[in-house]
């Protein structure tokens, strides 16, 4: 009888996403073999079904039922073998009490699902247009693989092992979906909760087929701009080899290949960063955090280059040339050299589209500023 109580608790833990990975896998194997068990789980997931059952329970003395259940569990099981009718009565009593337990727990699941519900993400039109232009220009491309039944890349395994994530999360991500962008391509990934990740070239992102637990866990190696669907009780966590980023807001950029280690720039909302071996530190809008191990260095930063990289457009009025060239350098992956310090301070106004070729962009900028500009390989040189 106690095993049956344990099974009820096990089902509720599974529905709430709190069952350990190994136990969850065993239960799902049982569900595959037992159609009645699978049907029960689906019924408990059905809000309309549970609501109807809870409505019926309003006329049922729940406390009395639970007291009877506890008394039944505590009583020794000494039903005589020659009393099948008594066994049937006792079994029926158990079913009634178990139903109370399951449906009371089902109500808790409904509350849990409501608390953990994710608000739909509204993707700005300019981001949708950027995605369309990127595809039209042939700038979108990635390899997408399932890391189930195949040997995970050594670099991915090493990064996951260095991170301080829970072992259950690590195992889940080792059997998840891996997206790897090509070295000259970008890619947008719609995550299971509706969040959107814009991956830079040469980036790995790993995420599960669906988020099962109280956190939405992904692993990043490279750079990505995240637009996260909001949830009051379901945190979104980006794990990296150097630490983790927890989302309490909306939009942020994570780069694990920055010179200082991992760099996180918050565009909107609020995030917490937790370097390996350190404590969580909060970051506000317009701030960046740089960390490797121990603690994070937090400072003010211009978010325009990151927002513009995600949307593919920028409008500027009385910007310094240096600020604008920071955006363009990020867009095209180039370095900028100034022939004289005062060139950085030249004021410019206008607008550019990231999906225009770099040469017409530089030519237009040269005409706006009156400065001579030359492109050599991956460099833009300004000449006096």
């Amino acid at each position: 009888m106690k095993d049956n109580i344990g099974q009820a608790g096990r089902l509720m833990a599974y529905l709430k996403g709190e069952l350990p990975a190994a136990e969850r896998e065993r239960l799902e194997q049982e569900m595959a073999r037992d159609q009645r068990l699978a049907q029960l789980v689906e019924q408990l997931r059905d809000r309309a079904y549970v609501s109807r059952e809870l409505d019926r329970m309003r006329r049922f003395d729940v406390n009395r039922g639970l007291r009877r259940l506890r008394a039944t569990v505590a009583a020794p099981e000494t039903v005589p073998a020659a009393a099948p009718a008594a066994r049937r009565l006792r079994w029926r009593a158990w079913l009634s009490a178990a139903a109370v337990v399951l449906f009371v727990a089902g109500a808790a699941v409904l509350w849990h699902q409501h608390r953990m519900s994710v608000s739909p993400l509204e993707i700005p039109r300019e981001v949708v247009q950027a995605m369309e232009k990127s595809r039209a220009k042939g700038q979108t491309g990635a390899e997408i693989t399932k890391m189930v039944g195949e040997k995970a890349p050594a670099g991915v395994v090493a990064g996951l092992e260095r991170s301080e994530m829970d072992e259950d999360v690590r195992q889940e991500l080792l059997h998840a979906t891996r997206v790897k962008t090509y070295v000259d391509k970008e890619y947008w990934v719609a995550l299971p909760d509706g969040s959107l990740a814009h991956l830079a070239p040469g980036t790995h992102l790993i995420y599960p087929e669906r988020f099962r637990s109280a956190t939405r866990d992904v692993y990043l190696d490279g750079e990505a701009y995240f637009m996260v669907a909001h949830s009051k009780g379901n945190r979104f966590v980006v794990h990296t080899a150097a630490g983790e980023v927890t989302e309490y807001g909306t939009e942020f950029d994570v780069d694990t290949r920055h010179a200082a280690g991992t760099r996180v720039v918050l565009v909107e909302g609020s995030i917490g960063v937790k370097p390996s071996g350190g404590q969580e530190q909060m970051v506000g809008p317009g701030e960046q955090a740089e960390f490797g191990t121990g603690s994070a260095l937090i400072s003010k930063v211009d978010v325009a280059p990151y927002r513009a990289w995600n949307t593919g457009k920028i409008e500027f009025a009385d910007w310094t040339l240096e600020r604008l060239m920071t955006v363009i350098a990020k867009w095209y992956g180039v370095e900028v050299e100034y022939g004289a310090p005062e060139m950085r301070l030249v004021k410019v106004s206008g607008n550019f589209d990231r999906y225009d070729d770099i040469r017409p962009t530089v030519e237009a900028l040269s005409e706006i500023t009156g400065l001579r500009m030359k492109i050599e390989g991956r460099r833009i040189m300004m000449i006096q």
Side-chain angles (χ1 to χ4, degrees), residues 163-282:
S163 70
E164 295 184 343
M165 65 182 70
D166 292 339
E167 185 59 29
D168 285 346
V169 174
R170 182 179 291 108
Q171 290 303 316
E172 183 175 48
L173 292 178
L174 278 171
H175 297 80
T177 299
R178 179 173 67 100
V179 179
K180 177 186 177 183
T181 52
Y182 301 121
V183 293
D184 58 345
K185 307 291 184 184
E186 62 188 340
Y187 197 78
W188 280 266
V189 178
L191 297 172
D193 63 338
S195 297
L196 189 66
H198 181 186
L199 310 187
T203 292
H204 295 250
L205 179 69
I206 301 173
Y207 62 92
E209 183 176 345
R210 58 178 173 151
F211 295 120
R212 300 172 183 267
S213 65
T215 59
R216 295 169 284 169
D217 298 279
V218 303
Y219 178 81
L220 178 72
D221 179 13
E223 182 176 5
Y225 188 102
F226 292 92
M227 300 177 68
V228 179
H230 182 64
S231 172
K232 290 183 179 179
N234 203 342
R235 298 178 302 143
F236 187 96
V237 182
V238 180
H239 298 275
T240 75
E244 63 186 38
V245 183
T246 301
E247 174 269 344
Y248 301 98
T250 308
E251 298 185 29
F252 56 97
D253 187 273
V254 183
D255 184 358
T256 70
R257 299 173 185 172
H258 191 259
T262 292
R263 181 201 60 204
V264 184
V265 174
L266 180 61
V267 177
E268 291 183 10
S270 176
I271 58 174
V273 297
K274 185 177 180 297
S276 298
Q279 300 296 317
E280 184 177 54
Q281 297 170 250
M282 299 307 296

Side-chain angles (χ1 to χ4, degrees), residues 283-305:
V283 180
E287 291 183 338
Q288 72 172 10
E290 299 172 301
F291 58 89
T293 58
S295 62
L297 175 63
I298 299 174
S299 59
K300 291 290 184 181
V301 68
D302 183 8
V303 301

